[in-house]
Amino acid sequence: MIEHTARSLRGRTALVTGSTGGIGLGIATALAQAGANIVLNGFGNVAEAVATIERFGIEVIHHGADMTKPDQIAAMMGEAASTLGPVDILVNNAGIQYVADTDELPVAKWDEIIAINLSSSFHTMRLAIPVMREQGWGRVMNIASVHGFVGSVGKSAYVAAKHGIIGLTKVAALENAQTGVTVSAVCPGFVLTPLVQRQVDALAQRDSLTQIEAQAKLLGEKQPSGQFVRPEQIGQLAVFLCSDAASEMRGSTLQIDGGWTAQ
Ligand code: NAD
């Protein structure tokens, strides 16, 4: 784990969608370590995620809003504000993947991916940003992907949503350019979370490979470093984006991808 001693975010409230595991939990951990109070969201092992964050001695709550449901998103934003105070740092991270060629992608999966990976960020942002503007400070980070820049076969809805979130990031950044609110996109390459583990498993099964061989093959196809990006590295980037040094990073799209998009 990267050490971060300064509690530079003490007194701030950070809401991270999809933060019960994977990249979201890595970001929530880094923000908590930097002193922010945390609103977790997502499914699965909630108690373990809360325990991970609690050890930093800050306030933490979990809200189980389903990111496909605008009314549940609004309820979460309301409860966050009434429990921990206005959201100062919004990290739109919740996302899902489903791999199938476009003509074989179930219609319901298209709708679900667009709802979670794109529309949910519109709903959190439209509710959070006016309050941030009133307070004179705010940070919005949209966890996009290398797939905000490039395509990959079998990922049409995902790639469309990630290109879309980069567009949304730029517009919101411009609309708030003369305020204390910045909006940025973070664009990871492969990170070994459950979302990618499913792709490793599918490759291992399809090509009769061990886990290690399948991981190497997946990375070898796309990520020149041959290494996975780690959630805590993305967490530290999020802490940096909250710093004064980042206050003129507006509409930025930040790749952290082992060289994927440099090719
Ligand atoms: P993950 O599957 O490990 O975690 C996803 C999180 O979202 C979990 O907490 C889950 O409970 C939550 N979630 C799923 N559906 C939800 C819903 N309907 N409502 C609320 N929460 C929901 O995924 P991850 O790999 O950590 O991905 C996080 C983000 O990073 C996603 O937006 C993903 O597209 C993006 N990303 C991931 C990678 C990667 O290689 N893992 C690369 C680039 C971008």
Side-chain angles (χ1 to χ4, degrees):
M1 183 185 290
I2 299 168
E3 289 303 321
H4 186 89
T5 46
R7 307 280 276 178
S8 54
L9 300 180
R10 195 188 295 274
R12 301 283 191 203
T13 295
L15 185 149
V16 187
T17 68
S19 48
T20 47
I23 294 171
L25 185 58
I27 294 172
T29 301
L31 294 174
Q33 205 176 5
N37 297 321
I38 303 290
V39 184
L40 293 172
N41 158 256
F43 309 137
N45 200 337
V46 173
E48 200 176 306
V50 169
T52 300
I53 299 301
E54 263 174 354
R55 68 199 161 102
F56 296 107
I58 44 77
E59 302 288 321
V60 53
I61 62 166
H62 169 267
H63 194 285
D66 180 339
M67 289 295 116
T68 64
K69 306 266 178 350
D71 57 332
Q72 293 188 22
I73 295 172
M76 175 179 72
M77 301 305 288
E79 192 178 316
S82 63
T83 314
L84 296 181
V87 172
D88 304 296
I89 301 162
L90 169 65
V91 184
N92 289 310
N93 167 79
I96 60 165
Q97 177 63 283
Y98 186 90
V99 182
D101 282 355
T102 307
D103 53 345
E104 289 171 359
L105 181 69
V107 170
K109 274 292 165 200
W110 170 276
D111 289 342
E112 191 185 2
I113 290 174
I114 298 297
I116 299 174
N117 297 18
L118 177 57
S119 302
S120 72
S121 303
F122 160 68
H123 292 295
T124 54
M125 285 163 70
R126 73 185 171 82
L127 295 166
I129 288 178
V131 186
M132 291 176 177
R133 260 199 317 258
E134 255 169 53
Q135 306 261 111
W137 192 93
R139 292 287 184 272
V140 179
M141 295 161 220
N142 294 323
I143 308 306
S145 167
V146 288
H147 287 116
F149 299 105
V150 297
S152 289
V153 292
K155 298 183 177 175
S156 55
Y158 188 87
V159 169
K162 294 300 185 182
H163 276 66
I165 195 76
I166 286 184
L168 175 61
T169 300
K170 289 175 181 171
V171 172
L174 291 173
E175 288 171 353
N176 291 282
Q178 297 190 352
T179 76
V181 182
T182 72
V183 187
S184 312
V186 173
C187 305
F190 279 132
V191 188
L192 192 55
T193 64
L195 184 148
V196 164
Q197 184 61 49
R198 283 189 283 278
Q199 295 172 56
V200 172
D201 292 343
L203 191 60
Q205 194 176 7
R206 192 194 73 190
D207 294 357
S208 303
L209 302 173
T210 65
Q211 281 287 315
I212 299 294
E213 289 167 343
Q215 286 179 13
K217 184 163 186 185
L218 194 73
L219 288 168
E221 285 167 359
K222 300 286 187 183
Q223 201 146 301
S225 67
Q227 305 292 324
F228 287 106
V229 180
R230 304 195 310 274
E232 65 266 28
Q233 294 176 318
I234 301 172
Q236 291 303 320
L237 181 55
V239 172
F240 173 75
L241 283 170
C242 292
S243 71
D244 185 56
S247 64
E248 287 307 325
M249 297 180 71
R250 298 176 182 272
S252 305
T253 49
L254 302 160
Q255 291 108 314
I256 174 165
D257 66 1
W260 184 326
T261 53
Q263 299 170 97

